[in-house]
Amino acid sequence: MTLQFAVDAVVLDIEGTTSATGFVVDVLYPYSRSRFAALLAERSDDPAVTRAVAQVRELTGDVDADAVQIEKTLNTWLDEDRKATPLKTLQGIIWSEGFARGDLVSHFYDDVVPALRAWHTAGLRLYVYSSGSVAAQRAWFTSSPEGDLLPLVSGLYDTENAGPKQEPESYRRIADATGIAPSRLLFLSDRPGELDAAVAAGWHAVGVRRPGEPYFEQGVGDHAQAGAFDEIGITSTRSTT
Ligand SMILES: [Mg+2]
């Protein structure tokens, strides 16, 4: 092992760390694009859909926009990668149903699932902290290529229940929620700003650098780094009972 830590829990970033960032753009975006029209036509009574449609009309200022125009707006936002709330809401519905139906299977790098299983077996607790919503995280772990991984995970955190990923306060909030001392928490992420924030909150952190990911070239500054999860060794006191 290149790196060795004595901690009680590992907190995982998803995009760029456990999973390929490109999967979202290459697989999930086209899937949502193909299903906006059906969702708008078949589910106009669903309160979440109704609210999202009202928000689209509000944001575009076109109060009379029909389903065709709404779909066009959603696709334009998708092309521009705009983080508009109604777009995120409708994508969330489409993706969670796609995963549940078996149309979609999430992505994990090959080294990740064996490490998660080994750490879980060793008595470590595993948590997720991702900018994707908790609902999306749940679907991601439930519908993995290796089956349901959700039983391995003790808790899910996003920007709603924990806060922005580059602020130390968010990491303090997660430590409080888990009841684990900051010095017994290890955060794995590909983004230097997130690693900085975790360390500022008293956590351990490892920068995960995978070829092809957006932050691979930039690197992770002074943080410890690993190319894959099998380079990270962890001893836990929780298992010695
Ligand atoms: Mg990331």
Side-chain angles (χ1 to χ4, degrees):
M1 297 286 179
T2 318
L3 303 168
Q4 203 70 41
F5 295 91
V7 294
D8 297 324
V10 182
V11 181
L12 306 156
D13 167 58
I14 296 180
E15 278 183 44
T17 302
T18 63
S19 309
T21 304
F23 183 89
V24 175
V25 173
D26 297 341
V27 177
L28 296 189
Y29 279 20
Y31 185 78
S32 55
R33 191 186 299 273
S34 73
R35 299 200 66 87
F36 283 140
L39 182 69
L40 294 169
E42 293 159 17
R43 301 275 295 282
S44 55
D45 295 342
D46 183 326
V49 175
T50 308
R51 194 166 55 244
V53 167
Q55 287 169 335
V56 174
R57 289 182 177 139
E58 204 174 298
L59 287 168
T60 57
D62 184 357
V63 293
D64 300 319
D66 62 14
V68 173
Q69 287 162 316
I70 300 279
E71 186 200 1
K72 215 175 139 204
T73 300
L74 293 169
N75 284 331
T76 305
W77 287 347
L78 202 56
D79 291 336
E80 296 168 353
D81 202 16
R82 242 179 84 182
K83 313 285 181 203
T85 300
L87 174 64
K88 294 279 151 197
T89 303
L90 296 173
Q91 282 181 316
I93 294 170
I94 288 170
W95 292 338
S96 57
E97 291 179 356
F99 279 117
R101 202 184 291 121
D103 284 355
L104 294 170
V105 175
S106 66
H107 172 269
F108 285 83
Y109 283 109
D110 286 345
D111 54 285
V112 172
V113 177
L116 298 187
R117 289 196 203 283
W119 292 339
H120 182 260
T121 301
L124 281 156
R125 276 196 258 161
L126 303 174
Y127 297 93
V128 177
Y129 181 27
S130 161
S131 51
S133 68
V134 163
Q137 296 173 21
R138 194 173 288 123
W140 192 265
F141 274 76
T142 302
S143 304
S144 95
E146 301 195 40
D148 185 4
L149 303 177
L150 203 57
L152 302 177
V153 178
S154 296
L156 306 168
Y157 298 96
D158 62 12
T159 54
E160 288 284 316
N161 66 7
K165 293 190 78 183
Q166 308 211 23
E167 289 180 12
E169 188 54 34
S170 305
Y171 297 81
R172 291 190 195 104
R173 214 169 278 132
I174 292 172
D176 283 348
T178 62
I180 298 173
S183 64
R184 305 293 299 178
L185 288 163
L186 172 64
F187 182 52
L188 307 183
S189 173
D190 61 322
R191 289 188 69 163
E194 297 176 5
L195 300 164
D196 293 344
V199 168
W203 294 29
H204 297 278
V206 171
V208 178
R209 292 186 68 190
R210 299 182 182 279
E213 291 294 340
Y215 289 88
F216 177 68
E217 299 295 342
Q218 181 185 336
V220 293
D222 294 336
H223 297 285
Q225 59 175 288
F229 281 20
D230 55 14
E231 296 170 20
I232 305 166
I234 301 177
T235 51
S236 169
T237 50
R238 285 173 50 83
S239 56
T240 57
T241 48

